[in-house]
């Protein structure tokens, strides 16, 4: 783990900043169950010309989450405060999967801070799928702490290879992916609890914001693969691209959910195009 921490509202947010200080600023938001190391592994070299802010989303990776009910709206608000605190007035925001849902929220709620977006395999509309039972049970009294402190740390690591294979299907998993991306961090009790809370209410969260996407006037490019088995492209990226006033969908026919690993060039081109179009 590299980078540093900043305290906001009594919680520590972990982040890592790379690239020239005078380059266009890019905020990268990872998806569920991971940390900033996941997109960093795939894109750090490809995006080296930009001032990139790699953020562990609140509650995940090595960042803390404030107490109380959590939602994409609260997350976007905290991230906006974070950008102010580190002295970055405006960014293009790149989000993968659930990170793309948060990116959409930032674009809607803080248009003055976001010049545009790049969404990779976005989870953007309700009915992503029914939340796994263990995510819901993690929030229950008694059994929840047992899951987060005992069951997940003991049984979870053995399930990682299967989940990772699904995320990359139909493409191969990069060598050393689980170790380099530090996917084991998910099984820290506080991280497991935060991620489970997000996923238990994922459809509710998306239903509350999907009707507002037409408000987004910044340029947005969506990258998705028809073979994605985690977030169905026909349900998410395709209709959302049509809803966005300045949205553009770029389909990668052979790509799976974690397409940013095999298609880093396409991601970089999308970032460059959004930077060129932003107002």
């Amino acid at each position: 783990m590299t980078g540093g921490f900043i305290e906001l509202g009594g919680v520590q947010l972990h982040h890592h900043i790379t690239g020239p200080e005078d380059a266009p600023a890019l905020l990268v938001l990872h998806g569920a169950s991971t940390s900033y190391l996941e997109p960093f592994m795939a894109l750090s070299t490809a995006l080296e010309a930009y001032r990139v802010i790699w953020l562990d989303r609140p509650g995940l990776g090595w960042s803390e989450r404030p107490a109380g009910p959590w939602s994409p709206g609260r997350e976007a608000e905290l991230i906006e405060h974070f950008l102010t605190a580190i002295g970055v007035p405006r960014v293009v925001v790149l989000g993968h999967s659930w990170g793309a849902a948060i990116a959409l929220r930032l674009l809607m709620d803080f248009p003055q801070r976001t010049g545009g977006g790049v969404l990779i395999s976005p989870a953007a509309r309700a009915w992503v799928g029914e939340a796994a039972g263990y995510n819901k049970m993690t929030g229950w009294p008694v059994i929840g702490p047992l899951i987060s402190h005992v069951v997940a740390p003991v049984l979870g690591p053995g399930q990682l290879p299967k989940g990772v294979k699904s995320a990359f299907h139909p493409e191969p998993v990069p060598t050393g992916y689980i170790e380099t991306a530090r996917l084991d961090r998910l099984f820290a009790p506080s991280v497991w609890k935060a991620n489970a809370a997000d996923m238990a209410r994922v459809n509710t969260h998306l239903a509350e914001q999907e009707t507002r996407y037409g408000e987004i006037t910044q340029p947005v490019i969506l990258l998705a693969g028809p073979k994605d088995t985690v977030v169905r492209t026909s349900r998410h990226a395709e209709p959302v691209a049509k809803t966005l006033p300045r949205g553009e969908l770029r389909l990668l026919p052979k790509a799976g959910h974690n397409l940013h690993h095999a298609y880093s060039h396409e991601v970089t081109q999308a970032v460059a195009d959004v930077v060129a179009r932003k107002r």
Side-chain angles (χ1 to χ4, degrees), residues 230-253:
V230 178
V231 176
R232 194 150 47 102
T233 296
S234 61
R235 170 67 187 167
H236 295 267
E238 290 182 4
V240 169
K242 295 175 182 177
T243 302
L244 296 167
R246 298 176 67 192
E248 177 190 346
L249 174 62
R250 297 181 182 179
L251 286 175
L252 304 174

Side-chain angles (χ1 to χ4, degrees), residues 114-252:
T114 51
V118 174
L119 310 181
I120 301 172
S121 307
R125 301 181 71 204
W127 305 115
V128 176
E130 187 62 30
Y134 56 78
N135 285 324
K136 293 182 177 179
M137 290 187 291
T138 296
W140 294 358
V142 184
I143 194 172
L146 180 65
I147 292 173
S148 58
H149 286 81
V150 179
V151 177
V154 172
L155 299 182
Q159 300 301 310
L160 279 178
K162 180 181 178 181
V164 166
K165 185 177 180 180
S166 175
F168 278 91
H169 178 81
E171 297 165 323
V173 178
T175 302
Y177 172 78
I178 290 175
E179 296 77 17
T180 304
R182 286 295 310 273
L183 297 191
D184 63 306
R185 183 63 184 163
L186 173 63
F187 306 114
S190 64
V191 177
W192 178 269
K193 183 178 178 181
N195 189 71
D198 288 342
M199 295 300 97
R201 299 192 66 231
V202 63
N203 289 309
T204 300
H205 291 320
L206 290 173
E208 289 172 350
Q209 72 178 47
E210 67 175 312
T211 58
R212 293 184 54 205
Y213 295 154
E215 300 173 15
I216 299 172
T217 59
Q218 305 96 309
V220 180
I221 294 177
L222 300 86
L223 300 173
K227 298 182 182 297
D228 188 339
T229 59
V230 178
V231 176
R232 194 150 47 102
T233 296
S234 61
R235 170 67 187 167
H236 295 267
E238 290 182 4
V240 169
K242 295 175 182 177
T243 302
L244 296 167
R246 298 176 67 192
E248 177 190 346
L249 174 62
R250 297 181 182 179
L251 286 175
L252 304 174

Side-chain angles (χ1 to χ4, degrees), residues 88-104:
V88 177
R90 204 156 189 253
V91 296
V92 165
V93 57
L94 183 155
H96 172 235
S97 194
W98 183 242
I102 306 304
L104 284 162

